[in-house]
Amino acid sequence: MTTIFDAPEDFAVTALAGFSSIYARNVRLVKGGVVRSTKVPKGKVAVVIGGGSGHYPAFAGYVGPGLADAAVAGDVFASPSTAAVARVCRHADQGGGVLLGFGNYAGDVLNFGVAAERLRAEGIDVRIVPVTDDVASAAADTAAKRRGIAGDLVVFKIAGAAAEAGLSLDEVERISRFANDRTVSFGVAFGGCTLPGANHPLFTVSKGEMALGLGIHGEPGISEEKIVSATELAKLLVGKLLAERPDGTKKVAPVLNGLGSTKYEELFVLWVAVEKELKAAGLEIVDPECGEFVTSLDMQGCSLSLLWLDEELETYWRAPCDAPVLRKGTIISAEPATDVISDEDGPATFAPASQASKESGKCIARLIGKVADALKQAEDELGRIDAFAGDGDHGQGMRRGSAAAQDAADVAAAAGAGAASVLAAAGDAWADRAGGTSGAIWGLLLRSWSNAFSDDDKPSDAAIVEGARLALEGVTRLGRARVGDKTLVDALVPFVDALEREFGVHKSLIAAWEIAAKAATDAADATSSLTPKLGRARPLAEKSIGHPDAGAVSLALTARVAADFLKESVDG
Amino acid sequence: MTTIFDAPEDFAVTALAGFSSIYARNVRLVKGGVVRSTKVPKGKVAVVIGGGSGHYPAFAGYVGPGLADAAVAGDVFASPSTAAVARVCRHADQGGGVLLGFGNYAGDVLNFGVAAERLRAEGIDVRIVPVTDDVASAAADTAAKRRGIAGDLVVFKIAGAAAEAGLSLDEVERISRFANDRTVSFGVAFGGCTLPGANHPLFTVSKGEMALGLGIHGEPGISEEKIVSATELAKLLVGKLLAERPDGTKKVAPVLNGLGSTKYEELFVLWVAVEKELKAAGLEIVDPECGEFVTSLDMQGCSLSLLWLDEELETYWRAPCDAPVLRKGTIISAEPATDVISDEDGPATFAPASQASKESGKCIARLIGKVADALKQAEDELGRIDAFAGDGDHGQGMRRGSAAAQDAADVAAAAGAGAASVLAAAGDAWADRAGGTSGAIWGLLLRSWSNAFSDDDKPSDAAIVEGARLALEGVTRLGRARVGDKTLVDALVPFVDALEREFGVHKSLIAAWEIAAKAATDAADATSSLTPKLGRARPLAEKSIGHPDAGAVSLALTARVAADFLKESVDG
């Protein structure tokens, strides 16, 4: 039970503020995250990590010399926004580039991925390393699909040590990816966790049972079994991981992690048995860790992570670090930072634009205004639809995101921005204000679309159609959904396909768009027959049959508004 | 729910072993506790702390440079034995004397107190500082009766810093006591904790309610109220403590402590509100701590401790330390220790004794054998009686303790020890093997009694009577029970009074003892009308009316056995 809070919606932000106050020696609070409060050498690769809140000490507790330079914190169990990731990276960058580490979840892949693209566009070299250690979440031959759990600590520790050693971004990336390849975790849950403000646990485990491989946000596990003794539990955890022991591995760095309500003394009891199992397997244990490293609010359970060491990994695993929750070896000199961090976003500036492109920018801003109006009106209905398969906040997110996009587009258009810049600014604002996966998806959709435009010209009809394809590519490259997953992609794919096909046939944008919008609507309706395949919604999957996907409906609605807008623009 | 263990009875010992394996850099495992694994300067005052297990990081997690030198660990929520305390102190002593710190609980007061007396007899200067920070457990004008909770960390930190600074034992004791006088805590509980192997929580708090001032072993609180917001909770905690702010205090060191299942992010949220309240009271906050410092297995709740600082306390509060759960400032040099700790108890050696005293020693050993036989036969009956007011383990404890006493007395007598040494050895063995409060009480009783004897002579009848008075004084000085509390004292007082009175009248030990044994039996029977006043048994108090106290019954039984033995000895 999460019991202590004022407003549940402020929980994550307030917790981060409290953490930063207590650990002022280690960190400074910035918008959306924390950065080191100690001096960092110029030119050092910045290791920036993050993810949702509710997992303390992940991720802010890892910030310190020899580990991370900064951490981005989203809402409870929700990815931080693209803007937050980008902002924290800008603060952390010392000119040596940024290694962005995060657990392999759809929302994080999206927001960290889009942030990386934005930062690269600004001239900051950024590499991303999604952590994929949870062997319960996918088979070894599709390891890239695995979730990140307590292996986060392991991979980020190696990355931080490599960066602290002064290695180049190429090298830090290589070593971090190698560490991820060599890190495996397996966990069990005995009981659920409760979100701030909720009256019931997010999930439950049957009394006397343990859920094997249950995820740190309650994602389904692989089976439920009777709770066993510490000795048997150690055999189970170690056994699962030994199955993936690379040939010839002689040394291992273990992390035995408590998920929240499983206490240190229980972990120590388990450690005695784990140590025995590892030694029995002929493994030498190097600098084991046992405690809370990646929690899940007050979830009851634990996980074991193993890093299969070679000489290089051992060096970086043993290297000193000094973060709130992990300290090793001799303390690295940590002089207090003296620079002033300005956390205010300055006024947006835009590239010079041609008159024609400026006019198009204004037109785009007007269209986004129409979309925002329509989504505002549809808020309750979208929320109702979403509640069948999700948490019912889709309408709210779409309203907030589109309103922010409208504001940003208006500001950009009034400042004389061209078509590409207006649409990109709208997309960024949408992602940053809407939050969640759908906000990031819409931000990505608009920003990718804007790549077909320029600030030098009025976008041609062909460019508009090309933009649709880029938008789809962007969404499917960083998002994870495919057709049939009951997401926005189910409507977006037929829309883009129809738009391209009909434009090729008729050469008329209005006619093609009209047909494409109808295709999107039909496809959105057809999602009623699907069950969602992604995320935490599985327990609700049955309930959603017979109801369309809210994201697909939103896309169809937007396509419809745009179709009408195009006709009006020609008529008007 | 405590879920991970093999045999519940091995939980505490195994947890300590696991902790010591993980923190080998900091500690070495010894029988019953841990000592620093880093070099300690010769002549430094040793700070030895301890108490029951189940409170991690209290107490083993406090061991390190600038904090404690060693920690003694009892069973879950049970005081360590006198022998364990004494043994760990011997390992930790560097010739500068020992400061013994523990929370103010009956069992700890007894075991640490008796250990201190034993060590002093061995020539080690020992001072005891019971921590009494919990304002909910007694009024300010009887502050010495207060329990110790998270203020443990505060007082031990000050003690550790003062010792590290090279101060004398007198000074370390003075500063530690002063720190205790200036430390106040208040806590709330939202939910109970479950002992290893138990199916139900040790106590529960009504849903949606919080228990104010509930103790860390489930001792009754002062009231139950609706759960409030973080802001209101901060006002409540700070308000309670500000009521005891010493005049003129301008600075404060706060410790916001989680009890187990209340997570760090909740504590950070609460800290933001606590910080505001403290500042509003005009207090300057120095080095605040927020996290888990004294837990209660998986109990849900938190406490706030405040150390009212003056210049001296601020110096020691800010001083560097490096323990598993607390590190401050620049790390103190911590070279690995190279000495070898022998954890085996060598063969007991005894002072030379006269032939007469040796014969008496053998006689005492025979008497203890008779007592052990009788208590073994009475085990089930004593357990049944105890179950009305306690946990039903009294019979088991008495059987184990008396059997150990018999063994030790036999060994001592066979080795040619005199009367005083045989009885003292029996008492020490009883305390060390029986465990719990009654074991310590019986150990104390026999050892105190032995102080009336010597190894030079056969004990006179007058010395035997005098020993009874010394035994009563020892038990009431370090134990806490008074007549009417439904404990062994209810039978011991009339026994000793009758023995002295009748011996004064008749000058015959046998006759006096016979009458005293009857008085003890009558008094034990009369405890049926009393309700227990001490310990955690309050919820069971009603249930115990109509049943005598098991401890008083044991004492009466023992007095009866001794009466028969005396008669037989004279007859035989």
Side-chain angles (χ1 to χ4, degrees):
Chain A
M1 193 77 188
T2 298
T3 305
I4 301 177
F5 51 84
D6 281 318
E9 61 271 25
D10 297 337
F11 184 84
V13 165
T14 312
L16 194 69
F19 164 79
S20 304
S21 163
I22 291 288
Y23 287 101
R25 189 183 77 86
N26 305 73
V27 303
R28 292 192 277 186
L29 185 67
V30 297
K31 265 191 204 167
V34 295
V35 300
R36 274 198 213 174
S37 60
T38 47
K39 276 189 180 164
V40 183
K42 286 285 158 208
K44 186 187 95 68
V45 169
V47 175
V48 179
I49 61 174
S53 295
H55 302 298
Y56 187 84
F59 295 94
Y62 299 169
V63 175
L67 230 161
D69 292 280
V72 201
D75 210 340
V76 177
F77 292 179
S79 171
S81 73
T82 299
V85 177
R87 188 187 299 116
V88 172
C89 286
R90 287 185 204 107
H91 289 315
D93 178 44
Q94 301 291 335
V98 174
L99 185 104
L100 257 182
F102 51 91
N104 187 36
Y105 297 91
D108 292 319
V109 170
L110 204 54
N111 282 299
F112 285 84
V114 176
E117 296 197 344
R118 268 197 218 173
L119 292 165
R120 283 181 205 123
E122 294 170 17
I124 300 177
D125 196 354
V126 181
R127 312 294 169 84
I128 60 171
V129 178
V131 177
T132 57
D133 56 314
D134 184 5
V135 304
S137 53
D141 55 2
T142 54
K145 288 189 178 177
R146 287 176 169 173
R147 302 181 287 236
I149 53 173
D152 284 349
L153 174 79
V154 177
V155 177
F156 301 160
K157 166 70 179 80
I158 299 295
E164 197 75 37
L167 270 57
S168 70
L169 184 57
D170 282 346
E171 275 295 277
V172 174
E173 181 188 11
R174 178 190 64 75
I175 293 165
S176 305
R177 288 187 176 277
F178 180 54
N180 182 53
D181 291 344
R182 305 273 284 205
T183 304
V184 285
S185 302
F186 188 69
V188 296
F190 308 119
C193 55
T194 310
L195 294 168
N199 287 318
H200 301 286
L202 194 59
F203 62 92
T204 55
V205 180
S206 311
K207 198 172 158 61
E209 303 267 307
M210 56 183 184
L212 306 193
L214 188 130
I216 55 170
H217 315 93
E219 301 93 333
I222 54 180
S223 67
E224 212 168 271
E225 296 186 7
K226 285 259 170 288
I227 289 173
V228 294
S229 69
T231 297
E232 291 304 315
L233 182 56
K235 283 184 204 287
L236 173 77
L237 296 175
V238 174
K240 279 275 178 196
L241 302 182
L242 283 181
E244 303 202 11
R245 177 182 184 175
D247 287 345
T249 314
K250 293 261 186 285
K251 291 185 176 186
V252 70
V255 175
L256 186 56
N257 175 60
L259 288 167
S261 292
T262 290
K263 298 317 308 161
Y264 277 74
E265 277 153 320
E266 293 179 87
L267 297 174
F268 293 139
V269 166
L270 183 58
W271 170 251
V272 170
V274 166
E275 189 176 32
K276 203 171 146 193
E277 290 299 316
L278 292 173
K279 285 182 177 169
L283 285 161
E284 183 186 329
I285 296 168
V286 178
D287 277 11
E289 295 290 338
C290 180
E292 292 181 357
F293 299 107
V294 176
T295 64
S296 185
L297 293 171
D298 59 330
M299 181 167 162
Q300 209 202 338
C302 61
S303 64
L304 176 65
S305 301
L306 297 180
L307 170 63
W308 309 112
L309 295 172
D310 67 357
E311 205 174 318
E312 183 179 45
L313 291 176
E314 183 176 346
T315 301
Y316 294 118
W317 178 249
R318 285 187 187 271
C321 67
D322 182 16
V325 300
L326 194 71
R327 112 195 89 131
K328 275 171 180 275
T330 319
I331 290 310
I332 302 165
S333 155
E335 209 183 323
T338 49
D339 59 314
V340 177
I341 289 183
S342 165
D343 211 21
E344 295 305 310
D345 294 324
T349 53
F350 299 98
S354 72
Q355 196 53 37
S357 194
K358 281 182 188 176
E359 288 305 318
S360 297
K362 285 179 189 161
C363 183
I364 288 169
R366 281 198 302 279
L367 168 57
I368 289 171
K370 298 269 185 197
V371 169
D373 288 347
L375 287 170
K376 188 176 177 182
Q377 279 182 29
E379 178 177 352
D380 291 348
E381 174 66 6
L382 291 171
R384 198 187 56 75
I385 299 172
D386 182 44
F388 290 107
D391 44 12
D393 65 355
H394 181 77
Q396 191 187 53
M398 292 299 288
R399 191 251 303 150
R400 277 213 304 238
S402 60
Q406 177 182 5
D407 286 349
D410 286 348
V411 166
S421 292
V422 169
L423 190 57
D428 291 354
W430 194 317
D432 299 346
R433 288 292 306 282
T437 307
S438 78
I441 290 277
W442 276 88
L444 189 57
L445 192 154
L446 298 193
R447 186 169 252 281
S448 302
W449 205 311
S450 78
N451 289 338
F453 300 175
S454 82
D455 292 334
D456 301 328
D457 275 313
K458 178 179 189 290
S460 66
D461 288 354
I464 292 172
V465 173
E466 187 202 338
R469 175 59 60 188
L470 294 182
L472 174 60
E473 282 173 6
V475 167
T476 49
R477 188 180 70 252
L478 285 170
R480 287 184 166 179
R482 299 292 174 260
V483 170
D485 288 348
K486 197 162 187 167
T487 70
L488 156 150
V489 167
D490 286 317
L492 184 58
V493 167
F495 172 83
V496 174
D497 285 349
L499 187 67
E500 278 184 341
R501 187 184 62 239
E502 297 301 325
F503 185 70
V505 173
H506 302 288
K507 310 291 179 208
S508 152
L509 178 65
I510 294 178
W513 194 289
E514 181 64 32
I515 294 166
K518 282 207 179 86
T521 304
D522 292 346
D525 289 347
T527 57
S528 302
S529 62
L530 300 171
T531 50
K533 287 209 184 121
L534 295 172
R536 294 190 270 119
R538 203 175 297 185
L540 294 167
E542 295 303 316
K543 217 176 123 195
S544 81
I545 296 178
H547 302 279
D549 176 66
V553 171
S554 294
L555 186 102
L557 173 65
T558 305
R560 178 78 261 146
V561 170
D564 294 344
F565 181 82
L566 284 173
K567 276 194 282 183
E568 277 166 33
S569 301
V570 170
D571 298 347
Chain B
M1 194 75 187
T2 298
T3 305
I4 303 177
F5 50 85
D6 283 318
E9 62 271 24
D10 297 337
F11 184 83
V13 165
T14 312
L16 194 69
F19 164 80
S20 304
S21 163
I22 291 288
Y23 287 102
R25 190 183 74 85
N26 305 74
V27 302
R28 291 192 279 184
L29 186 66
V30 296
K31 264 192 206 167
V34 295
V35 299
R36 278 197 210 172
S37 59
T38 48
K39 276 191 181 162
V40 182
K42 286 286 158 208
K44 187 185 95 68
V45 169
V47 175
V48 179
I49 59 173
S53 294
H55 302 298
Y56 186 82
F59 298 93
Y62 300 170
V63 175
L67 232 161
D69 293 280
V72 200
D75 210 340
V76 177
F77 292 179
S79 172
S81 73
T82 299
V85 176
R87 189 187 300 114
V88 172
C89 285
R90 286 184 205 108
H91 289 316
D93 178 43
Q94 301 292 334
V98 175
L99 186 103
L100 259 183
F102 51 90
N104 187 37
Y105 297 91
D108 293 318
V109 169
L110 204 54
N111 282 299
F112 285 83
V114 177
E117 296 197 344
R118 267 198 219 174
L119 293 164
R120 281 182 207 125
E122 294 170 17
I124 301 178
D125 196 355
V126 182
R127 312 293 169 84
I128 59 170
V129 178
V131 178
T132 57
D133 57 313
D134 184 4
V135 305
S137 53
D141 55 1
T142 53
K145 289 188 176 175
R146 287 175 169 172
R147 301 182 289 236
I149 53 173
D152 284 348
L153 174 78
V154 177
V155 176
F156 302 159
K157 167 69 179 78
I158 298 295
E164 197 75 38
L167 270 57
S168 69
L169 183 58
D170 282 345
E171 275 295 277
V172 175
E173 182 189 11
R174 179 190 63 76
I175 292 165
S176 305
R177 289 188 176 274
F178 180 53
N180 182 53
D181 291 344
R182 306 273 284 203
T183 303
V184 285
S185 302
F186 188 70
V188 297
F190 308 120
C193 56
T194 309
L195 294 169
N199 286 318
H200 301 286
L202 193 60
F203 62 91
T204 56
V205 180
S206 312
K207 199 172 155 64
E209 302 267 307
M210 55 184 185
L212 307 193
L214 190 132
I216 54 170
H217 315 93
E219 302 93 333
I222 53 179
S223 66
E224 212 168 272
E225 296 185 7
K226 286 257 169 291
I227 288 174
V228 295
S229 68
T231 297
E232 291 302 316
L233 182 55
K235 283 185 205 288
L236 173 76
L237 296 175
V238 174
K240 280 275 180 200
L241 301 182
L242 282 181
E244 302 203 12
R245 177 181 182 177
D247 287 344
T249 315
K250 294 261 186 285
K251 292 185 175 183
V252 71
V255 175
L256 187 56
N257 174 60
L259 287 166
S261 292
T262 289
K263 299 317 308 160
Y264 277 75
E265 278 151 320
E266 294 178 87
L267 296 175
F268 293 140
V269 166
L270 183 57
W271 169 250
V272 170
V274 167
E275 189 176 31
K276 204 172 143 191
E277 291 298 316
L278 292 174
K279 285 184 176 168
L283 285 161
E284 184 187 329
I285 296 167
V286 177
D287 277 12
E289 295 292 337
C290 180
E292 291 180 359
F293 299 104
V294 177
T295 63
S296 184
L297 294 170
D298 60 331
M299 181 166 161
Q300 208 201 339
C302 62
S303 64
L304 176 66
S305 301
L306 297 180
L307 169 63
W308 309 111
L309 295 172
D310 66 358
E311 206 175 315
E312 183 179 45
L313 291 175
E314 183 175 347
T315 300
Y316 294 119
W317 178 249
R318 286 186 187 271
C321 67
D322 182 17
V325 299
L326 193 72
R327 112 195 88 131
K328 276 172 180 274
T330 319
I331 291 309
I332 302 165
S333 155
E335 210 183 323
T338 50
D339 59 314
V340 176
I341 288 182
S342 164
D343 213 18
E344 295 306 311
D345 296 323
T349 53
F350 299 98
S354 72
Q355 196 54 37
S357 194
K358 281 183 188 173
E359 289 305 319
S360 298
K362 285 180 189 159
C363 183
I364 289 170
R366 282 199 303 279
L367 168 57
I368 289 172
K370 298 270 183 195
V371 169
D373 288 346
L375 287 170
K376 189 175 176 181
Q377 279 182 28
E379 177 177 352
D380 290 348
E381 174 66 7
L382 290 172
R384 197 188 57 75
I385 298 173
D386 183 44
F388 291 107
D391 43 13
D393 63 355
H394 182 76
Q396 193 186 52
M398 293 299 289
R399 192 252 303 147
R400 277 211 304 236
S402 59
Q406 177 182 4
D407 287 349
D410 286 348
V411 166
S421 291
V422 170
L423 191 56
D428 292 354
W430 194 318
D432 301 345
R433 287 292 306 282
T437 306
S438 79
I441 289 277
W442 276 87
L444 189 57
L445 193 154
L446 298 193
R447 185 170 252 281
S448 302
W449 204 312
S450 77
N451 289 337
F453 300 174
S454 81
D455 292 335
D456 300 328
D457 275 312
K458 177 178 191 290
S460 66
D461 289 354
I464 293 174
V465 174
E466 187 202 338
R469 175 59 61 184
L470 294 181
L472 174 60
E473 281 172 6
V475 166
T476 49
R477 188 180 70 251
L478 284 169
R480 287 187 166 177
R482 298 292 173 262
V483 170
D485 287 349
K486 197 163 188 167
T487 71
L488 156 149
V489 168
D490 286 316
L492 184 59
V493 168
F495 173 82
V496 174
D497 285 350
L499 188 67
E500 277 185 342
R501 188 182 62 239
E502 299 299 325
F503 185 70
V505 173
H506 303 288
K507 309 292 178 206
S508 152
L509 178 65
I510 296 178
W513 193 290
E514 180 65 32
I515 294 166
K518 282 206 178 89
T521 304
D522 293 346
D525 290 346
T527 58
S528 302
S529 62
L530 300 171
T531 50
K533 289 210 180 116
L534 294 172
R536 291 192 270 119
R538 203 174 301 184
L540 294 167
E542 294 304 316
K543 216 175 125 195
S544 81
I545 296 179
H547 301 280
D549 175 66
V553 171
S554 296
L555 186 100
L557 174 65
T558 305
R560 178 76 260 147
V561 171
D564 294 344
F565 181 82
L566 286 172
K567 276 192 284 187
E568 279 165 32
S569 302
V570 170
D571 298 345

